[in-house]
Every structure is written in C-alpha cells, then in structure tokens.
Amino acid sequence: QVIKCKAAVLWEANKPFSIEEVEVAPPKEHEVRIKIVATGICRSDDHVITGALVMPFPIILGHEAAGVVESVGQGVTAVKPGDKVIPLFVPQCGECKNCLNTKGNLCSKTDLGTRAGLMPDGTTRFTCKGKAVYHFLGTSTFTEYTVLHQSAVAKIDSAAPLEKVCLIGCGFSTGYGAALQTAKVEPGSSCAIFGLGGVGLSVVMGCKVAGASRIIAVDINKDKFAKAKELGATDCINPKDFNKPIHEVLMEMTGGGVDYSFEVIGRTDTMTAALACCQYNYGVSVIVGVPPAAQNITFDPMLLFTGRSWKGSVFGGWKSKDAVPKLVDDYMKKKFVLDPLITHTLPFTKINEGFDLLRTGK
C-alpha cells in the first residue's frame, strides 16, 4: 500500500521547508518502511539548505531519528513490523571493503559523497504533487514515514525512549565516537574541542569517559560554557577574548599543545587551528564537522612533518549496525546522558522554527 502522510519538503536551496502531503511507496526487496516517532535537527541538514552540502532538489532531509517498523519488503529478516529502530545514514552492508576491515566504518553503500539522493536501486520512494522527491543520505527522516534499505536500519531495545535515543542516530554517536573510537583518547590526556553544539558536547562526554584529565572547550558563544562544564569540560575559552591566535593560547595553557584536538564546526580556519594546537610530535587532531563544499585548506606541512596526526571521523568511527544497539543499551544502563543535548522539543509542523533555533546557536 502507498502511504499518504506529512513531510517537510525542501523544494530549493535557501528556502524554508514546506509541510506537504507526500506519497510513500511500499518497501521493495530488502527494504523497510518505518514510521518516524522522533527526529533531531543537525547542522548537516542545514548545510544542504545553504548549499555547503550539494544535493538534488526537491528533497526530504533529516538523518537523525528513531521510529517503528511499519512494513518490510521481501528478503528482510533482521527486523519485523513493530520493532523499534534507528535509521543509519552510514549503513553497514557487511560485504564491502570498509565493512570487512576492522578499522573501517564508512560503508561503500552510503550516499555520503555520491549525493545521488536515491535508494540503492537508483529510484525514489517519495512523490509529492506528482513529482519525484529525492532521499537524503538514504534516511530522509523529516517525514511521518520513510523507506530505508535494510543495511541502514538498526533494531534497538523495545523499552528505549525514542524521543531521546534518536540522538544516537547521529549527533551523540558522532561526537562520542570521535573521542573513543577515532582518537582513542587515553586516561590523563589533554583535549581541546572546537565547537560546542550537540556533537561537540558529545565529544566532551567521550573525552571524560575516556579519562582525559584536561578538557578545554572552545566556542565563540559563551552561552554554551555552562553545559560544557556540566558534561566534563575543565576549561572553557572564547577566542574573542584574546588578541592572538587561539592555537597559541592553547599551546601556552597546556605547555606545548594538547594530546587530542577535535574540530566540530566544519570551518577550514578552525580545522587548521585545531591541528596547530595539538602537541607537535604526537598530537592527534580529528575533523568531525562536515567540511564546506569547494573549499580547500592551505597549511604549513611542517605541522605534520614533526609527527602530528590529522584524522577524519564519520559517525564517530562506529560500525553502525553493530554499535547503535549497544550504544542504546549503554544509555539504558545510564553509562551516559542524553537529556542535556536536547534543548527544545517542537511539533513537526514547527520544523522551520527549529532550524532558526539551530542557526542562532540556541
């Protein structure tokens, strides 16, 4: 059966979402149709609106969510109708080179980088006003119902509160894993985190859980500092308070640079600052924020020659299908909190207000 439901459709760049009635086709072979119960707003969705992340239009955005399986296509064995699930914008097919390698997590089946906006078979499941509507990162969660490939669905604990664990679908896992999986932060080490949105705060939590002794939070919005301290930051600094480059300030504060630094904004200037502020011989800097399209970085290669490591991290380095159910279990066992990352809860029809709150740093 085709389902008619509400969705937030983005018809073109730099315009608000429009709440439309869309038609959602039934799942094909190896596909799953789910009812979205809760979805988060992430800066990566906003990057599509501004053109920093290039995608085709019209499109249904959204990639951080939780929901319930409504129906399954032929050949789907991992989930059944009624199961609680989290959509995975980085799928885990279990067959590609990255899935088979213990060090890899960026499944080749992800739409990240290809920007096709289609299901793996090259078609879409959404129609609006007679027009085909593109998918986003194989998830498209700004709709009451969506269709996913089974490799992009993780079954989770049926007792989990979906309006909280939806954050494990992107923001929380991305930041927490950048510290624990990608950087492998060690006990007693020093860390600097650039950017204190939901993902940056999750990096702070990851550094704390890993046993870092000094966690320096960096943001130009001082309103973020109280929450960063609550979650484990030992120092909070605002680059606007200094008349010298922030990497020099951090070098002085730590006597030669931090062991680990994280860029969680998605700006090239802060990426180079994060690299420069880590220890010149064994420091590790991790890029977590999505880099803007068509921008390059120019930096002095001496920064790397002396021994620093520069890394990237997508979805916190977690193998999604394996890790998401475990992270939900950890949340249920109170190994970490999610409430401080939730600033507002809005009805679906107020999605544009939600994005205004994101853009104003609230």
Side-chain angles (χ1 to χ4, degrees):
Q1 268 333 79
V2 169
I3 288 181
K4 288 185 176 178
C5 68
K6 282 204 299 257
V9 178
L10 192 68
W11 291 100
E12 53 185 308
N14 296 303
K15 288 275 164 71
F17 291 94
S18 103
I19 302 286
E20 307 275 9
E21 182 181 84
V22 298
E23 287 156 27
V24 185
K28 294 190 183 177
E29 192 175 11
H30 302 307
E31 293 177 358
V32 180
R33 186 161 61 182
I34 70 171
K35 177 180 169 62
I36 299 287
V37 174
T39 183
I41 290 176
C42 174
R43 182 65 78 174
S44 307
D45 302 305
D46 192 45
H47 285 332
V48 179
I49 301 170
T50 61
L53 189 59
V54 180
M55 291 297 293
F57 295 100
I59 192 167
I60 294 173
L61 295 176
H63 62 283
E64 177 183 271
V68 178
V69 175
E70 177 271 334
S71 59
V72 300
Q74 277 186 309
V76 173
T77 51
V79 292
K80 61 186 186 306
D83 284 349
K84 283 192 180 180
V85 292
I86 287 180
L88 308 170
F89 72 91
V90 174
Q92 188 180 343
C93 72
E95 294 160 9
C96 70
K97 257 189 165 165
N98 294 353
C99 282
L100 292 171
N101 190 300
T102 54
K103 293 182 280 195
N105 81 313
L106 191 54
C107 176
S108 67
K109 298 276 196 300
T110 182
D111 197 29
L112 198 68
T114 64
R115 305 182 178 145
L118 298 166
M119 293 296 284
D121 72 350
T123 61
T124 169
R125 301 291 165 270
F126 298 120
T127 316
C128 182
K129 297 178 177 169
K131 281 196 176 128
V133 177
Y134 287 99
H135 294 250
F136 180 52
L137 301 183
T139 49
S140 289
T141 62
F142 293 165
T143 167
E144 292 177 312
Y145 288 87
T146 190
V147 178
L148 311 161
H149 191 267
Q150 65 175 355
S151 63
V153 180
K155 181 182 169 178
I156 60 164
D157 182 345
S158 61
L162 299 184
E163 74 284 0
K164 311 258 195 242
V165 298
C166 62
L167 296 180
I168 292 172
C170 177
F172 172 76
S173 306
T174 295
Y176 193 67
L180 294 176
Q181 290 279 115
T182 307
K184 297 191 167 42
V185 171
E186 294 151 328
S189 60
S190 57
C191 303
I193 296 102
F194 288 69
L196 299 175
V199 183
L201 292 171
S202 301
V203 176
V204 170
M205 286 197 253
C207 292
K208 188 182 180 191
V209 164
S213 58
R214 195 147 187 215
I215 301 171
I216 306 167
V218 184
D219 202 300
I220 55 172
N221 179 354
K222 62 181 189 307
D223 297 343
K224 306 273 189 185
F225 291 169
K227 200 163 267 188
K229 288 216 156 134
E230 178 195 330
L231 292 173
T234 55
D235 309 73
C236 293
I237 58 173
N238 184 341
K240 288 180 171 172
D241 293 343
F242 303 91
N243 51 14
K244 59 176 153 192
I246 193 65
H247 73 270
E248 291 180 16
V249 176
L250 287 158
M251 283 282 194
E252 283 170 21
M253 279 176 74
T254 54
V258 294
D259 299 309
Y260 301 97
S261 67
F262 301 86
E263 199 280 354
V264 206
I265 303 164
R267 289 176 57 106
T268 52
D269 55 344
T270 40
M271 287 173 189
T272 33
L275 178 68
C277 83
C278 71
Q279 208 276 350
Y280 71 93
N281 182 210
Y282 52 78
V284 175
S285 187
V286 183
I287 293 176
V288 189
V290 177
Q295 280 194 29
N296 294 327
I297 290 184
T298 307
F299 69 102
D300 178 354
M302 189 56 85
L303 283 168
L304 292 178
F305 173 74
T306 56
R308 285 182 182 89
S309 304
W310 213 356
K311 291 182 156 190
S313 180
V314 175
F315 195 59
W318 304 106
K319 285 193 186 284
S320 59
K321 243 182 152 151
D322 296 343
V324 164
K326 289 188 184 131
L327 287 165
V328 170
D329 291 345
D330 284 351
Y331 170 72
M332 299 298 279
K333 290 175 190 152
K334 298 191 165 47
K335 289 191 183 172
F336 56 80
V337 291
L338 291 172
D339 278 22
L341 302 178
I342 301 170
T343 56
H344 299 76
T345 304
L346 300 168
F348 183 38
T349 48
K350 293 198 172 171
I351 186 165
N352 286 308
E353 290 175 39
F355 274 86
D356 290 339
L357 290 164
L358 173 82
R359 291 174 194 130
T360 52
K362 297 190 171 98

